Amino acid sequence: MCLSIPSQVIQIDDANIATVDTMGVQRQVSLDLMPEAVDIGDYVLIHVGFAMNKIDQEDALESLKLYREMVDLMDAEDLKVSQGNS
């Protein structure tokens, strides 16, 4: 199973390469496999370096909220374990 975190397009260059922000991490992905036009500000789902689908902003923000909650819970659990409070 593959989970894709919504990534927001922040720049598109002339070679059809987008710079995206994924939860604060920026990277470049190809837009060559996108079936529809992509604009700055859009959210996309990525697989192995290619943007594959657009996701609407409301769904993207809800997914990002859930991912942040999971990360926070894992961080809290790691802290408990490192303090010997498992």
Side-chain angles (χ1 to χ4, degrees), residues 8-19:
Q8 187 174 32
V9 176
I10 57 175
Q11 182 179 343
I12 301 172
D13 71 17
D14 293 335
N16 212 30
I17 301 294
T19 301

Side-chain angles (χ1 to χ4, degrees), residues 22-23 29 40 44 47 53-55 61 78-79 83 86:
T22 308
M23 296 182 71
V29 298
I40 293 172
V44 294
H47 181 67
N53 302 89
K54 280 198 325 188
I55 181 172
L61 294 176
D78 287 347
L79 182 60
Q83 293 175 345
S86 54

Side-chain angles (χ1 to χ4, degrees), residues 3-8 22-23 27 44-46 63-64 67:
L3 297 177
S4 185
I5 301 171
S7 302
Q8 187 174 32
T22 308
M23 296 182 71
R27 61 183 173 152
V44 294
L45 299 177
I46 300 166
S63 291
L64 289 169
Y67 278 114

Side-chain angles (χ1 to χ4, degrees), residues 27-46:
R27 61 183 173 152
Q28 293 186 321
V29 298
S30 174
L31 298 176
D32 288 342
L33 299 180
M34 284 296 300
E36 58 190 302
V38 175
D39 296 312
I40 293 172
D42 285 345
Y43 285 88
V44 294
L45 299 177
I46 300 166

